[in-house]
């Protein structure tokens, strides 16, 4: 049976498609890679350096799945919105090189303190306004030089959900933008500043949720997905719906949110999206 599977994969060319990760396709039944478009994750991984201390940090299982699926050991991962360092800690455990950018110096200082005693040296984190082409180029190229790499093999985007949570007072912080069109336009500029550093035919992911403003749902996630497809030569490889559990902003407040929803006419957000794209330029 195993030989039959091997022959089928060889005929269809599947082996060549696995060049972007270290997964052994011959042992596909044993791999804990979730290839479904619905991810139900019951509990946040709290091991190691992972702490739920920051509004909007994604659960570690998301970068863990994506990094193992789309990179090999020692490949470089770029996180455009570093936050509290979730993806960095995963790269540390998975032995991937890492560049992280964030406009919030306080959170960069926090992540630096978390890494102070680590034996892992293949990372480079920077205070960076990613809306600035010049500053983004400078900081990413510093990281590439330090890590002796020419480009990234995978990029993560987990931007603020417009101005739902304001992270800094910097006027260029995306979390200061409350207007949908301005937010989408600015996010596209961030993509232009960063995607040029992703190797061609490699992958990037956008983790994003929707927002509720002025009495209605704004499907921010789909606006961003559409903007990427309109502005960049990409292939959309996956739309993953992920449940929300352990959100810091709603911890212990389910009753209040349920009451508010019942007392009005809306539904509580219990999901986010992960869009996976393949860069073709």
């Amino acid at each position: 049976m195993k030989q039959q599977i091997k022959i089928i994969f060889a005929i269809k060319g599947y082996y060549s498609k696995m060049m972007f990760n270290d997964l052994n396709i011959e042992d596909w039944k044993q791999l804990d890679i979730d290839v479904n478009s619905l991810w139900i994750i019951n509990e946040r991984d709290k091991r190691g350096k992972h702490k739920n201390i920051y509004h909007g940090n994604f659960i570690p299982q998301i970068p863990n799945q994506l990094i193992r699926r789309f990179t090999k050991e020692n490949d470089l991962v770029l996180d455009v919105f570093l936050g509290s360092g979730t993806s960095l800690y995963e790269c540390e455990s998975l032995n991937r090189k890492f560049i992280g950018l964030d406009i919030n110096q306080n959170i960069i200082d926090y992540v630096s303190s978390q890494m102070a005693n680590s034996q892992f040296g293949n990372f480079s984190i920077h205070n960076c306004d990613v809306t600035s082409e010049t500053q983004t180029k400078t900081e990413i190229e510093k990281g590439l030089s330090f890590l002796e790499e020419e480009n990234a093999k995978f990029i993560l985007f987990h931007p603020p959900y417009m101005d739902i949570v304001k992270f800094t007072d910097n006027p260029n912080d995306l979390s200061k933008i409350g207007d949908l069109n301005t937010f989408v336009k600015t996010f596209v500029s961030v993509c232009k500043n960063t995607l040029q550093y992703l190797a061609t035919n490699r992958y990037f992911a956008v983790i994003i949720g929707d927002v509720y403003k002025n009495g209605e749902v704004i499907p921010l996630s789909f606006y961003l997905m559409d903007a990427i497809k309109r502005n960049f030569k990409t292939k959309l490889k996956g739309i993953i719906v992920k449940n929300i559990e352990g959100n810091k902003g709603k911890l212990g407040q389910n009753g209040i949110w349920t009451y508010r929803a019942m007392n009005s006419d809306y539904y509580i957000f219990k999901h986010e999206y992960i869009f996976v794209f393949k860069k073709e330029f």
Side-chain angles (χ1 to χ4, degrees):
M1 181 66 181
K2 188 173 181 180
Q3 184 62 24
Q4 287 179 322
I5 293 172
K6 188 174 182 178
I7 292 171
I8 290 170
F9 282 150
I11 292 172
K12 292 181 177 291
Y14 285 6
Y15 282 132
S16 63
K17 293 182 180 179
M18 298 296 288
M19 295 301 289
F20 50 82
N21 63 40
D22 290 320
L23 302 174
N24 183 359
I25 193 63
E26 292 186 75
D27 289 332
W28 60 277
K29 286 186 177 180
Q30 307 303 318
L31 299 174
D32 61 340
I33 295 294
D34 194 339
V35 296
N36 298 303
S37 62
L38 176 62
W39 289 5
I40 304 296
I41 303 172
N42 294 324
E43 188 175 2
R44 172 186 294 269
D45 184 353
K46 299 175 182 174
R47 293 174 294 178
K49 297 182 176 69
H50 294 302
K51 297 173 184 174
N52 191 14
I53 53 88
Y54 193 64
H55 279 289
N57 63 349
F58 52 20
I59 63 173
Q61 289 95 326
I62 294 176
N64 181 284
Q65 283 281 332
L66 294 171
I67 291 167
R68 286 191 293 133
R69 180 86 187 272
F70 296 110
T71 66
K72 292 171 168 285
E73 273 202 61
N74 293 309
D75 274 355
L76 172 62
V77 175
L78 168 62
D79 188 337
V80 179
F81 300 93
L82 171 66
S84 57
T86 304
S87 54
L88 168 57
Y89 311 143
E90 289 303 313
C91 282
E92 178 185 24
S93 64
L94 296 171
N95 195 29
R96 268 66 167 178
K97 296 179 180 178
F98 182 86
I99 294 175
L101 309 174
D102 206 288
I103 201 169
N104 184 347
Q105 185 60 48
N106 290 333
I107 201 64
I108 289 177
D109 292 342
Y110 168 78
V111 175
S112 296
S113 70
Q114 290 290 98
M115 297 299 292
N117 297 318
S118 172
Q119 299 298 311
F120 180 68
N122 284 331
F123 72 97
S124 184
I125 58 178
H126 304 260
N127 185 321
C128 182
D129 169 12
V130 290
T131 67
S132 164
E133 181 180 1
T134 302
Q135 192 176 143
T136 304
K137 172 181 171 65
T138 299
E139 300 305 327
I140 289 180
E141 291 184 1
K142 280 182 189 174
L144 291 173
S145 176
F146 174 73
L147 296 168
E148 298 181 338
E149 291 287 341
E150 294 183 353
N151 49 39
K153 301 301 186 295
F154 183 67
I155 294 183
L156 279 164
F157 296 90
H158 186 212
Y161 299 177
M162 296 177 66
D163 59 348
I164 297 303
V165 177
K166 296 179 177 63
F167 291 99
T168 74
D169 292 326
N170 190 316
N172 293 329
D173 186 340
L174 267 70
S175 72
K176 300 282 286 186
I177 303 174
D179 175 72
L180 175 63
N181 290 331
T182 305
F183 187 90
V184 173
K185 183 178 178 181
T186 306
F187 183 75
V188 168
S189 73
V190 172
C191 291
K192 287 179 178 174
N193 294 341
T194 53
L195 283 177
Q196 61 182 302
Y197 294 99
L198 177 66
T200 303
N201 292 323
R202 298 304 292 260
Y203 299 81
F204 64 98
V206 180
I207 297 91
I208 188 72
D210 299 325
V211 298
Y212 195 85
K213 274 179 171 284
N214 302 319
E216 68 173 339
V217 174
I218 298 176
L220 176 64
S221 50
F222 285 94
Y223 279 107
L224 296 189
M225 179 187 69
D226 177 68
I228 290 171
K229 288 297 296 179
R230 289 176 183 273
N231 286 277
F232 304 97
K233 187 179 180 183
T234 60
K235 280 188 176 173
L236 180 62
K237 304 299 288 188
I239 300 176
I240 301 162
V241 179
K242 183 198 75 65
N243 66 319
I244 297 176
E245 288 296 335
N247 183 300
K248 181 176 173 57
K250 295 181 181 177
L251 278 178
Q253 299 184 44
N254 286 338
I256 294 174
W257 284 96
T258 301
Y259 172 81
R260 290 173 177 169
M262 292 286 288
N263 198 40
S264 186
D265 58 356
Y266 67 87
Y267 292 86
I268 301 170
F269 290 128
K270 294 293 286 184
H271 68 281
E272 295 170 303
Y273 293 97
I274 303 167
F275 300 117
V276 177
F277 297 91
K278 184 177 183 180
K279 173 184 168 180
E280 295 194 321
F281 58 96

Short mmCIF file of all heavy atoms in Angstrom, two decimals, residues 129-179:
data_model
loop_
_atom_site.label_atom_id
_atom_site.label_comp_id
_atom_site.label_asym_id
_atom_site.label_seq_id
_atom_site.Cartn_x
_atom_site.Cartn_y
_atom_site.Cartn_z
N ASP A 129 7.88 51.54 11.41
CA ASP A 129 6.61 52.00 10.85
C ASP A 129 6.48 51.37 9.47
O ASP A 129 7.09 51.84 8.50
CB ASP A 129 6.61 53.53 10.76
CG ASP A 129 5.45 54.07 9.95
OD1 ASP A 129 4.52 53.30 9.63
OD2 ASP A 129 5.48 55.28 9.61
N VAL A 130 5.73 50.31 9.37
CA VAL A 130 5.67 49.55 8.11
C VAL A 130 4.88 50.26 7.02
O VAL A 130 4.82 49.79 5.89
CB VAL A 130 5.12 48.12 8.33
CG1 VAL A 130 6.11 47.26 9.08
CG2 VAL A 130 3.77 48.16 9.03
N THR A 131 4.28 51.41 7.35
CA THR A 131 3.65 52.21 6.30
C THR A 131 4.68 53.05 5.56
O THR A 131 4.38 53.61 4.50
CB THR A 131 2.56 53.15 6.86
OG1 THR A 131 3.17 54.15 7.69
CG2 THR A 131 1.54 52.38 7.69
N SER A 132 5.89 53.15 6.12
CA SER A 132 6.97 53.92 5.50
C SER A 132 7.83 53.00 4.64
O SER A 132 8.46 52.06 5.16
CB SER A 132 7.84 54.58 6.57
OG SER A 132 9.07 55.00 6.03
N GLU A 133 7.88 53.26 3.35
CA GLU A 133 8.67 52.43 2.44
C GLU A 133 10.16 52.47 2.82
O GLU A 133 10.83 51.44 2.87
CB GLU A 133 8.48 52.91 1.01
CG GLU A 133 9.26 52.10 -0.02
CD GLU A 133 9.06 52.61 -1.44
OE1 GLU A 133 8.32 53.61 -1.61
OE2 GLU A 133 9.64 52.02 -2.37
N THR A 134 10.64 53.68 3.14
CA THR A 134 12.06 53.84 3.44
C THR A 134 12.44 53.13 4.73
O THR A 134 13.44 52.39 4.79
CB THR A 134 12.40 55.35 3.58
OG1 THR A 134 12.05 56.02 2.37
CG2 THR A 134 13.87 55.54 3.87
N GLN A 135 11.64 53.34 5.78
CA GLN A 135 11.96 52.72 7.06
C GLN A 135 11.84 51.20 7.01
O GLN A 135 12.66 50.48 7.56
CB GLN A 135 11.06 53.29 8.17
CG GLN A 135 11.52 52.92 9.56
CD GLN A 135 10.67 53.58 10.64
OE1 GLN A 135 10.40 52.98 11.67
NE2 GLN A 135 10.23 54.81 10.42
N THR A 136 10.82 50.72 6.30
CA THR A 136 10.64 49.27 6.18
C THR A 136 11.82 48.65 5.46
O THR A 136 12.35 47.60 5.88
CB THR A 136 9.33 48.96 5.44
OG1 THR A 136 8.24 49.58 6.11
CG2 THR A 136 9.09 47.46 5.39
N LYS A 137 12.25 49.28 4.38
CA LYS A 137 13.39 48.78 3.62
C LYS A 137 14.64 48.74 4.51
O LYS A 137 15.36 47.72 4.53
CB LYS A 137 13.64 49.70 2.42
CG LYS A 137 14.91 49.43 1.63
CD LYS A 137 15.04 50.44 0.48
CE LYS A 137 16.40 50.37 -0.20
NZ LYS A 137 16.64 49.11 -0.87
N THR A 138 14.87 49.81 5.25
CA THR A 138 16.06 49.88 6.11
C THR A 138 16.06 48.78 7.16
O THR A 138 17.06 48.06 7.34
CB THR A 138 16.12 51.26 6.81
OG1 THR A 138 16.21 52.28 5.83
CG2 THR A 138 17.32 51.33 7.74
N GLU A 139 14.93 48.62 7.86
CA GLU A 139 14.90 47.66 8.98
C GLU A 139 14.92 46.21 8.49
O GLU A 139 15.60 45.36 9.08
CB GLU A 139 13.67 47.93 9.85
CG GLU A 139 13.63 49.33 10.45
CD GLU A 139 14.88 49.69 11.25
OE1 GLU A 139 15.46 48.79 11.87
OE2 GLU A 139 15.26 50.88 11.25
N ILE A 140 14.19 45.92 7.41
CA ILE A 140 14.20 44.53 6.91
C ILE A 140 15.59 44.18 6.41
O ILE A 140 16.11 43.07 6.67
CB ILE A 140 13.14 44.33 5.80
CG1 ILE A 140 11.74 44.37 6.41
CG2 ILE A 140 13.37 42.99 5.10
CD1 ILE A 140 10.63 44.19 5.39
N GLU A 141 16.23 45.11 5.71
CA GLU A 141 17.56 44.80 5.17
C GLU A 141 18.61 44.68 6.27
O GLU A 141 19.58 43.94 6.13
CB GLU A 141 17.93 45.85 4.11
CG GLU A 141 17.04 45.68 2.87
CD GLU A 141 17.40 46.60 1.71
OE1 GLU A 141 18.38 47.37 1.86
OE2 GLU A 141 16.72 46.53 0.67
N LYS A 142 18.41 45.38 7.39
CA LYS A 142 19.28 45.15 8.55
C LYS A 142 19.13 43.70 9.03
O LYS A 142 20.11 43.02 9.32
CB LYS A 142 18.88 46.09 9.70
CG LYS A 142 19.38 47.50 9.62
CD LYS A 142 18.94 48.26 10.88
CE LYS A 142 19.22 49.74 10.76
NZ LYS A 142 18.66 50.48 11.93
N GLY A 143 17.89 43.26 9.11
CA GLY A 143 17.63 41.89 9.56
C GLY A 143 18.19 40.86 8.61
O GLY A 143 18.79 39.86 9.02
N LEU A 144 17.99 41.09 7.30
CA LEU A 144 18.51 40.15 6.30
C LEU A 144 20.03 40.06 6.39
O LEU A 144 20.61 38.96 6.30
CB LEU A 144 18.09 40.59 4.90
CG LEU A 144 16.60 40.48 4.56
CD1 LEU A 144 16.32 41.12 3.21
CD2 LEU A 144 16.15 39.02 4.57
N SER A 145 20.68 41.21 6.57
CA SER A 145 22.14 41.22 6.66
C SER A 145 22.61 40.45 7.90
O SER A 145 23.53 39.63 7.84
CB SER A 145 22.63 42.67 6.71
OG SER A 145 24.03 42.71 6.89
N PHE A 146 21.95 40.72 9.03
CA PHE A 146 22.32 40.05 10.27
C PHE A 146 22.16 38.54 10.17
O PHE A 146 23.00 37.77 10.66
CB PHE A 146 21.46 40.59 11.42
CG PHE A 146 21.65 39.87 12.72
CD1 PHE A 146 22.81 40.05 13.46
CD2 PHE A 146 20.68 39.00 13.21
CE1 PHE A 146 23.00 39.38 14.67
CE2 PHE A 146 20.86 38.32 14.40
CZ PHE A 146 22.02 38.51 15.13
N LEU A 147 21.09 38.11 9.51
CA LEU A 147 20.80 36.68 9.42
C LEU A 147 21.41 36.03 8.18
O LEU A 147 21.25 34.83 7.96
CB LEU A 147 19.28 36.46 9.41
CG LEU A 147 18.57 36.91 10.70
CD1 LEU A 147 17.06 36.94 10.51
CD2 LEU A 147 18.95 35.99 11.86
N GLU A 148 22.11 36.85 7.36
CA GLU A 148 22.77 36.37 6.16
C GLU A 148 21.79 35.67 5.23
O GLU A 148 22.02 34.55 4.77
CB GLU A 148 23.95 35.45 6.52
CG GLU A 148 25.03 36.14 7.34
CD GLU A 148 26.20 35.24 7.68
OE1 GLU A 148 26.02 34.00 7.66
OE2 GLU A 148 27.29 35.76 7.95
N GLU A 149 20.68 36.38 4.97
CA GLU A 149 19.65 35.86 4.07
C GLU A 149 19.36 36.90 2.99
O GLU A 149 19.57 38.10 3.20
CB GLU A 149 18.36 35.56 4.85
CG GLU A 149 18.47 34.39 5.80
CD GLU A 149 18.50 33.04 5.09
OE1 GLU A 149 18.08 32.98 3.92
OE2 GLU A 149 18.95 32.07 5.71
N GLU A 150 18.84 36.44 1.84
CA GLU A 150 18.48 37.35 0.76
C GLU A 150 17.01 37.72 0.79
O GLU A 150 16.61 38.79 0.34
CB GLU A 150 18.81 36.71 -0.59
CG GLU A 150 20.32 36.51 -0.81
CD GLU A 150 20.60 35.95 -2.19
OE1 GLU A 150 19.63 35.61 -2.90
OE2 GLU A 150 21.79 35.83 -2.55
N ASN A 151 16.18 36.83 1.34
CA ASN A 151 14.75 37.10 1.38
C ASN A 151 14.09 36.17 2.40
O ASN A 151 14.73 35.27 2.95
CB ASN A 151 14.11 36.91 0.00
CG ASN A 151 14.52 35.59 -0.65
OD1 ASN A 151 14.63 34.58 0.03
ND2 ASN A 151 14.76 35.62 -1.96
N ALA A 152 12.82 36.45 2.62
CA ALA A 152 12.04 35.61 3.54
C ALA A 152 11.38 34.48 2.76
O ALA A 152 11.12 34.60 1.56
CB ALA A 152 10.99 36.46 4.24
N LYS A 153 11.09 33.39 3.45
CA LYS A 153 10.41 32.26 2.82
C LYS A 153 8.95 32.16 3.24
O LYS A 153 8.19 31.37 2.68
CB LYS A 153 11.15 30.96 3.16
CG LYS A 153 12.62 30.96 2.71
CD LYS A 153 12.77 31.15 1.22
CE LYS A 153 14.20 31.01 0.72
NZ LYS A 153 15.09 32.07 1.24
N PHE A 154 8.58 32.97 4.21
CA PHE A 154 7.17 33.00 4.63
C PHE A 154 6.94 34.31 5.38
O PHE A 154 7.82 34.77 6.12
CB PHE A 154 6.85 31.81 5.54
CG PHE A 154 5.41 31.72 5.96
CD1 PHE A 154 4.42 31.45 5.03
CD2 PHE A 154 5.03 31.93 7.28
CE1 PHE A 154 3.09 31.38 5.40
CE2 PHE A 154 3.70 31.84 7.66
CZ PHE A 154 2.72 31.57 6.72
N ILE A 155 5.79 34.93 5.13
CA ILE A 155 5.45 36.18 5.81
C ILE A 155 4.10 36.04 6.50
O ILE A 155 3.15 35.49 5.94
CB ILE A 155 5.42 37.38 4.84
CG1 ILE A 155 6.83 37.65 4.29
CG2 ILE A 155 4.90 38.62 5.54
CD1 ILE A 155 6.91 38.87 3.36
N LEU A 156 4.06 36.55 7.72
CA LEU A 156 2.82 36.60 8.50
C LEU A 156 2.35 38.04 8.62
O LEU A 156 3.15 38.93 8.93
CB LEU A 156 3.05 36.04 9.90
CG LEU A 156 3.04 34.53 10.10
CD1 LEU A 156 3.66 34.19 11.45
CD2 LEU A 156 1.61 34.00 10.04
N PHE A 157 1.07 38.25 8.37
CA PHE A 157 0.45 39.55 8.62
C PHE A 157 -0.69 39.33 9.63
O PHE A 157 -1.65 38.61 9.31
CB PHE A 157 -0.15 40.15 7.35
CG PHE A 157 0.83 40.48 6.26
CD1 PHE A 157 1.16 39.54 5.30
CD2 PHE A 157 1.40 41.75 6.18
CE1 PHE A 157 2.04 39.86 4.26
CE2 PHE A 157 2.28 42.07 5.14
CZ PHE A 157 2.61 41.12 4.19
N HIS A 158 -0.58 39.92 10.78
CA HIS A 158 -1.70 39.92 11.74
C HIS A 158 -1.90 41.36 12.19
O HIS A 158 -1.51 41.76 13.29
CB HIS A 158 -1.39 39.01 12.93
CG HIS A 158 -2.55 38.85 13.87
ND1 HIS A 158 -2.39 38.67 15.22
CD2 HIS A 158 -3.89 38.84 13.64
CE1 HIS A 158 -3.58 38.57 15.78
NE2 HIS A 158 -4.51 38.67 14.86
N PRO A 159 -2.53 42.16 11.30
CA PRO A 159 -2.65 43.59 11.59
C PRO A 159 -3.72 43.87 12.63
O PRO A 159 -4.54 43.00 12.95
CB PRO A 159 -3.07 44.15 10.22
CG PRO A 159 -3.85 43.05 9.61
CD PRO A 159 -3.17 41.77 10.05
N PRO A 160 -3.74 45.11 13.15
CA PRO A 160 -4.87 45.51 14.01
C PRO A 160 -6.16 45.42 13.22
O PRO A 160 -6.16 45.52 11.99
CB PRO A 160 -4.54 46.97 14.36
CG PRO A 160 -3.10 47.15 14.07
CD PRO A 160 -2.77 46.19 12.96
N TYR A 161 -7.26 45.23 13.96
CA TYR A 161 -8.56 45.19 13.30
C TYR A 161 -9.11 46.62 13.31
O TYR A 161 -9.96 46.96 14.11
CB TYR A 161 -9.51 44.23 14.02
CG TYR A 161 -9.02 42.79 14.04
CD1 TYR A 161 -9.74 41.81 14.71
CD2 TYR A 161 -7.84 42.41 13.40
CE1 TYR A 161 -9.32 40.49 14.72
CE2 TYR A 161 -7.41 41.09 13.43
CZ TYR A 161 -8.15 40.14 14.09
OH TYR A 161 -7.72 38.83 14.13
N MET A 162 -8.55 47.45 12.42
CA MET A 162 -8.84 48.88 12.39
C MET A 162 -8.55 49.47 13.78
O MET A 162 -7.52 49.15 14.37
CB MET A 162 -10.26 49.15 11.89
CG MET A 162 -10.48 48.70 10.44
SD MET A 162 -12.16 48.89 9.81
CE MET A 162 -12.35 50.67 9.80
N ASP A 163 -9.44 50.31 14.31
CA ASP A 163 -9.15 50.98 15.59
C ASP A 163 -9.88 50.36 16.77
O ASP A 163 -10.17 51.05 17.75
CB ASP A 163 -9.50 52.47 15.47
CG ASP A 163 -10.98 52.70 15.12
OD1 ASP A 163 -11.66 51.72 14.74
OD2 ASP A 163 -11.43 53.85 15.23
N ILE A 164 -10.18 49.06 16.66
CA ILE A 164 -10.90 48.39 17.75
C ILE A 164 -10.07 48.42 19.04
O ILE A 164 -10.59 48.64 20.13
CB ILE A 164 -11.22 46.93 17.36
CG1 ILE A 164 -12.15 46.92 16.14
CG2 ILE A 164 -11.85 46.18 18.53
CD1 ILE A 164 -13.45 47.67 16.34
N VAL A 165 -8.77 48.18 18.93
CA VAL A 165 -7.84 48.31 20.07
C VAL A 165 -6.71 49.22 19.61
O VAL A 165 -6.03 48.91 18.63
CB VAL A 165 -7.26 46.95 20.50
CG1 VAL A 165 -6.25 47.15 21.64
CG2 VAL A 165 -8.37 46.01 20.94
N LYS A 166 -6.52 50.33 20.28
CA LYS A 166 -5.45 51.26 19.90
C LYS A 166 -4.18 50.89 20.67
O LYS A 166 -4.15 50.93 21.89
CB LYS A 166 -5.88 52.69 20.20
CG LYS A 166 -7.07 53.16 19.36
CD LYS A 166 -7.47 54.59 19.71
CE LYS A 166 -8.62 55.07 18.82
NZ LYS A 166 -9.86 54.27 19.02
N PHE A 167 -3.13 50.55 19.91
CA PHE A 167 -1.92 50.02 20.55
C PHE A 167 -0.91 51.11 20.90
O PHE A 167 -0.15 50.95 21.85
CB PHE A 167 -1.27 48.98 19.63
CG PHE A 167 -2.09 47.72 19.50
CD1 PHE A 167 -2.92 47.52 18.40
CD2 PHE A 167 -2.06 46.75 20.49
CE1 PHE A 167 -3.69 46.38 18.29
CE2 PHE A 167 -2.83 45.60 20.39
CZ PHE A 167 -3.65 45.41 19.29
N THR A 168 -0.85 52.18 20.11
CA THR A 168 0.08 53.27 20.40
C THR A 168 -0.59 54.60 20.04
O THR A 168 -1.69 54.63 19.47
CB THR A 168 1.38 53.15 19.56
OG1 THR A 168 1.11 53.52 18.21
CG2 THR A 168 1.97 51.76 19.63
N ASP A 169 0.11 55.68 20.35
CA ASP A 169 -0.37 57.01 19.97
C ASP A 169 0.26 57.48 18.66
O ASP A 169 0.04 58.61 18.23
CB ASP A 169 -0.05 58.02 21.08
CG ASP A 169 -0.87 57.75 22.32
OD1 ASP A 169 -2.03 57.31 22.19
OD2 ASP A 169 -0.36 57.97 23.44
N ASN A 170 1.08 56.63 18.04
CA ASN A 170 1.73 57.00 16.80
C ASN A 170 0.68 57.17 15.69
O ASN A 170 -0.10 56.25 15.43
CB ASN A 170 2.75 55.90 16.41
CG ASN A 170 3.64 56.33 15.27
OD1 ASN A 170 3.19 56.91 14.27
ND2 ASN A 170 4.92 56.05 15.39
N PRO A 171 0.64 58.33 15.04
CA PRO A 171 -0.39 58.55 14.01
C PRO A 171 -0.29 57.58 12.83
O PRO A 171 -1.27 57.41 12.08
CB PRO A 171 -0.14 59.99 13.55
CG PRO A 171 1.27 60.29 13.96
CD PRO A 171 1.52 59.50 15.20
N ASN A 172 0.87 56.94 12.64
CA ASN A 172 1.03 55.99 11.54
C ASN A 172 0.69 54.55 11.94
O ASN A 172 0.81 53.63 11.12
CB ASN A 172 2.46 56.03 11.00
CG ASN A 172 2.76 57.36 10.32
OD1 ASN A 172 1.87 57.99 9.75
ND2 ASN A 172 4.01 57.80 10.41
N ASP A 173 0.31 54.36 13.20
CA ASP A 173 -0.11 53.05 13.68
C ASP A 173 -1.44 52.70 13.02
O ASP A 173 -2.40 53.48 13.08
CB ASP A 173 -0.25 53.10 15.20
CG ASP A 173 -0.54 51.75 15.82
OD1 ASP A 173 -1.01 50.84 15.11
OD2 ASP A 173 -0.31 51.61 17.03
N LEU A 174 -1.53 51.52 12.39
CA LEU A 174 -2.78 51.12 11.74
C LEU A 174 -3.95 51.06 12.72
O LEU A 174 -5.10 51.17 12.31
CB LEU A 174 -2.61 49.76 11.04
CG LEU A 174 -2.19 49.79 9.56
CD1 LEU A 174 -0.75 50.26 9.43
CD2 LEU A 174 -2.34 48.42 8.91
N SER A 175 -3.64 50.87 14.00
CA SER A 175 -4.72 50.80 14.98
C SER A 175 -5.33 52.18 15.28
O SER A 175 -6.25 52.29 16.07
CB SER A 175 -4.22 50.17 16.28
OG SER A 175 -3.36 51.03 16.99
N LYS A 176 -4.80 53.22 14.63
CA LYS A 176 -5.37 54.56 14.78
C LYS A 176 -6.38 54.86 13.65
O LYS A 176 -7.00 55.90 13.65
CB LYS A 176 -4.26 55.61 14.75
CG LYS A 176 -3.22 55.48 15.84
CD LYS A 176 -3.74 56.02 17.15
CE LYS A 176 -3.76 57.55 17.12
NZ LYS A 176 -4.12 58.09 18.44
N ILE A 177 -6.48 53.93 12.69
CA ILE A 177 -7.32 54.19 11.51
C ILE A 177 -8.73 53.63 11.72
O ILE A 177 -8.91 52.42 11.85
CB ILE A 177 -6.69 53.57 10.25
CG1 ILE A 177 -5.28 54.11 10.03
CG2 ILE A 177 -7.57 53.86 9.03
CD1 ILE A 177 -4.53 53.45 8.89
N GLY A 178 -9.70 54.52 11.71
CA GLY A 178 -11.09 54.09 11.89
C GLY A 178 -11.90 54.08 10.61
O GLY A 178 -13.03 53.58 10.59
N ASP A 179 -11.33 54.62 9.54
CA ASP A 179 -12.03 54.66 8.25
C ASP A 179 -11.65 53.45 7.40
O ASP A 179 -10.46 53.18 7.20
CB ASP A 179 -11.66 55.96 7.51
CG ASP A 179 -12.27 56.00 6.13
OD1 ASP A 179 -13.50 56.19 6.04
OD2 ASP A 179 -11.52 55.82 5.14
#
